[in-house]
Amino acid sequence: MALIIAGERSGVGKTTVTLALLSYLFKCNYTIQSFKVGPDYIDPMFHQRVTGRPCRNLDPVLTSEDYVKDCFYRHCQGVDYALIEGVMGLFDGASGKNDFASTAHVARLLDVPVLLVLDCSRLSRSVAAIAYGYQSFDPRITIAGVVLNRVGSSRHLELLKDALEPLHIPVLGELQRQENITIADRHLGLIPTAEITQLDALINRLADLGQSCFNWEHLHSELKVGHLQPVTSTNQQPVTSTNQQPVTSTNQQPALIRIAVACDRAFSFYYQDNLDSLEQLGAELVYWSPLTDTTLPADVQGMYFGGGFPEVFAEQLAENTSARESVRTAIESGMPTYAECGGLMYLGEQITDFDGKSWSMVGVLPTVTVMGKSLTLGYRQATALVDGPLLPAGATVWGHEFHRSHLTVMPSNPLFELRGYNQRKVGVEGWQVYQLHASYVHLHWGSCLKVPLQFLQRCQQFTFKGVTS
């Protein structure tokens, strides 16, 4: 058994409820495995900070239905409790035509009951209509109970419970408005954990909230992991391509290869499954900071730049000229390099921040990143137009875009042709120069291990003695 935290819509307090439950369970010395539905990077950072274990993303578009099930059951082994945080509203999927990739879809795939969070700040008896609608909309979903969030007073709570009583839906949590529990956000969502001061104090307050505001007599049985058995049947087919098949032959694994992974406050968007895939295929991951380290780690054969917030730390990145020169020299010498979103921005000539100030970056790509108000967001079916260090021309993968910037110069020989989830053409983008793959598109390699395998094979062939620590 496990539990999935869903919301009636975005912004109702799913993350606060999830973190309160996780914090209290961890305070009680339980081992908890958390999961996050969808392509999000920042919520999983908070999960991991609380539980001490990497949070795993469950996304059937970026991977497959089979991978979602395998990932869940594999990482639930040996833990006391499992908790999944949903995405958006319960039935909000990748398109309006069905609920594929929604919280409800994942709940069905895993046969996991739903704890529904309701924002009660502006309603009383109407809460029953909302709860009834969500309970009856899809009979394949089991609503284990509801959490009444942002309750105004004891009288308000009484009205809400009276309205819900005829529905026989258990109220498993009651949270009044919390003025002292606030996680600040900015242009791409919550501020990551590494930038938050007094985070331990916040987690302690969340643990107290978790202890006092939930029906633990009921929740303990719902959350406790027993002998999990995979769900083998589903009413929907996975959205995959012929290139999204795992490599199972162990004799294709390359020898141990040192990969420099940029990891600091500027670069923190990594799926743990991607890092695991590299290690399982024979990589030694060497973490370093483009913010503070003066050069690349010694004897590396490849580089990995994830996404993050280089625009927030552009001045500090610009001031570290030796690190930028080290990266540029390595790329121009042919070192295989994978960069997505924030990594792409760092490898351009400049970043122009939200204040209009421009900061020098690595300069290996002849373009400038300009921050703006417009949000580019959505799943992307990316077809490689050229041979590169990760994909041969013609290969197709699923990815995700999420950024508020654009490039002043587009590549003359782009890396990808992009289509949205609805198969409408989005355009072309991405750079493939030297042995560099640089794109705004984030990839999850869970069910397309041929991608990291090809990357490591390219790295294995590279020898560069010009970088020393």
Side-chain angles (χ1 to χ4, degrees):
M1 188 67 77
L3 200 60
I4 190 164
I5 309 300
E8 48 169 305
R9 53 188 164 84
S10 295
V12 299
K14 292 190 302 293
T15 299
T16 299
V17 169
T18 301
L19 293 177
L21 295 173
L22 292 175
S23 298
Y24 174 64
L25 289 170
F26 185 79
K27 185 178 179 180
C28 295
N29 296 317
Y30 292 111
T31 302
I32 321 109
Q33 179 61 56
S34 71
F35 301 87
K36 171 66 181 178
V37 179
D40 186 83
Y41 286 102
I42 299 179
D43 287 352
M45 294 181 193
F46 284 88
H47 291 204
Q48 181 170 349
R49 181 63 179 77
V50 169
T51 68
R53 296 172 64 94
C55 173
R56 306 287 172 165
N57 290 75
L58 303 176
D59 192 314
V61 175
L62 295 185
T63 58
S64 68
E65 289 180 319
D66 287 341
Y67 185 83
V68 167
K69 291 187 284 188
D70 176 73
C71 178
F72 178 72
Y73 296 116
R74 179 159 34 93
H75 292 291
C76 281
Q77 303 305 313
V79 303
D80 299 312
Y81 294 94
L83 188 63
I84 308 167
E85 180 179 353
V87 62
M88 299 189 294
L90 175 58
F91 299 103
D92 297 331
S95 75
K97 296 180 180 179
N98 57 47
D99 66 358
F100 195 94
S102 69
T103 304
H105 179 202
V106 172
R108 290 198 307 273
L109 279 177
L110 303 178
D111 194 22
V112 171
V114 170
L115 181 60
L116 182 65
V117 181
L118 302 172
D119 181 355
C120 303
S121 59
R122 294 177 178 84
L123 51 82
S124 58
R125 189 169 183 269
S126 296
V127 73
I130 296 172
Y132 177 76
Y134 277 84
Q135 183 186 47
S136 59
F137 185 75
D138 185 345
R140 297 171 296 175
I141 301 297
T142 299
I143 303 293
V146 297
V147 174
L148 306 179
N149 193 24
R150 298 168 186 156
V151 177
S153 65
S154 57
R155 175 57 180 159
H156 186 199
L157 178 61
E158 183 180 350
L159 292 172
L160 295 168
K161 285 187 169 182
D162 286 347
L164 289 168
E165 185 176 5
L167 301 181
H168 304 292
I169 301 176
V171 176
L172 301 182
E174 307 161 5
L175 285 73
Q176 293 194 357
R177 297 185 181 96
Q178 302 295 320
E179 301 296 337
N180 65 338
I181 297 181
T182 302
I183 304 174
D185 60 6
R186 59 181 175 220
H187 55 283
L188 291 183
L190 297 179
I191 293 178
T193 55
E195 298 180 50
I196 297 179
T197 58
Q198 306 297 319
L199 183 56
D200 288 340
L202 174 62
I203 292 172
N204 287 334
R205 291 196 296 273
L206 285 164
D208 292 340
L209 190 71
Q211 180 178 7
S212 62
C213 297
F214 293 90
N215 180 351
W216 281 104
E217 182 178 355
H218 190 109
L219 285 174
H220 272 300
S221 61
E222 293 283 357
L223 287 162
K224 193 170 182 62
V225 174
H227 297 288
L228 292 172
Q229 296 296 324
V231 179
T232 56
S233 65
T234 177
N235 292 320
Q236 291 184 300
Q237 296 300 313
V239 178
T240 58
S241 73
T242 56
N243 295 286
Q244 289 184 289
Q245 300 299 321
V247 177
T248 57
S249 176
T250 57
N251 61 14
Q252 296 184 59
Q253 296 181 357
L256 192 66
I257 300 162
R258 285 170 60 85
I259 304 297
V261 181
C263 189
D264 54 23
R265 291 181 298 165
F267 303 99
S268 58
F269 290 4
Y270 294 95
Y271 294 125
Q272 183 63 42
D273 289 15
N274 282 10
L275 302 175
D276 291 349
S277 295
L278 289 171
E279 290 184 323
Q280 291 162 5
L281 290 170
E284 176 189 356
L285 305 184
V286 186
Y287 296 96
W288 75 291
S289 171
L291 287 171
T292 60
D293 291 331
T294 58
T295 187
L296 284 170
D299 301 322
V300 295
Q301 294 173 271
M303 291 185 289
Y304 184 179
F305 291 92
F309 291 101
E311 67 273 20
V312 176
F313 303 96
E315 181 176 6
Q316 190 175 347
L317 289 168
E319 290 174 348
N320 195 351
T321 55
S322 60
R324 290 191 287 115
E325 184 58 33
S326 178
V327 170
R328 178 168 183 152
T329 300
I331 291 175
E332 291 180 344
S333 298
M335 182 180 290
T337 301
Y338 175 60
E340 58 184 25
C341 202
L344 162 68
M345 296 162 63
Y346 178 61
L347 298 181
E349 294 178 343
Q350 293 179 331
I351 291 178
T352 301
D353 63 23
F354 286 107
D355 295 325
K357 297 179 180 178
S358 295
W359 308 97
S360 296
M361 293 293 123
V362 172
V364 77
L365 299 177
T367 189
V368 173
T369 302
V370 179
M371 304 306 301
K373 294 182 180 180
S374 178
L375 175 64
T376 300
L377 169 68
Y379 289 109
R380 300 288 183 257
Q381 187 183 58
T383 300
L385 300 175
V386 293
D387 289 328
L390 272 75
L391 295 164
T396 298
V397 291
W398 280 95
H400 188 265
E401 276 194 276
F402 189 52
H403 55 90
R404 291 189 184 273
S405 65
H406 68 273
L407 303 181
T408 58
V409 176
M410 297 301 291
S412 58
N413 194 23
L415 172 64
F416 281 141
E417 178 186 83
L418 301 182
R419 293 183 180 273
Y421 185 77
N422 57 9
Q423 293 300 304
R424 292 178 183 172
K425 188 172 180 179
V426 174
V428 295
E429 73 91 49
W431 298 77
Q432 198 284 303
V433 295
Y434 305 105
Q435 285 294 309
L436 167 65
H437 171 119
S439 169
Y440 268 123
V441 178
H442 296 277
L443 299 178
H444 190 299
W445 302 333
S447 58
C448 53
L449 289 181
K450 289 182 179 180
V451 174
L453 177 62
Q454 178 165 320
F455 177 59
L456 291 182
Q457 288 173 338
R458 294 288 184 97
C459 294
Q460 189 178 36
Q461 299 166 5
F462 177 78
T463 301
F464 178 54
K465 301 300 183 182
V467 177
T468 59
S469 59

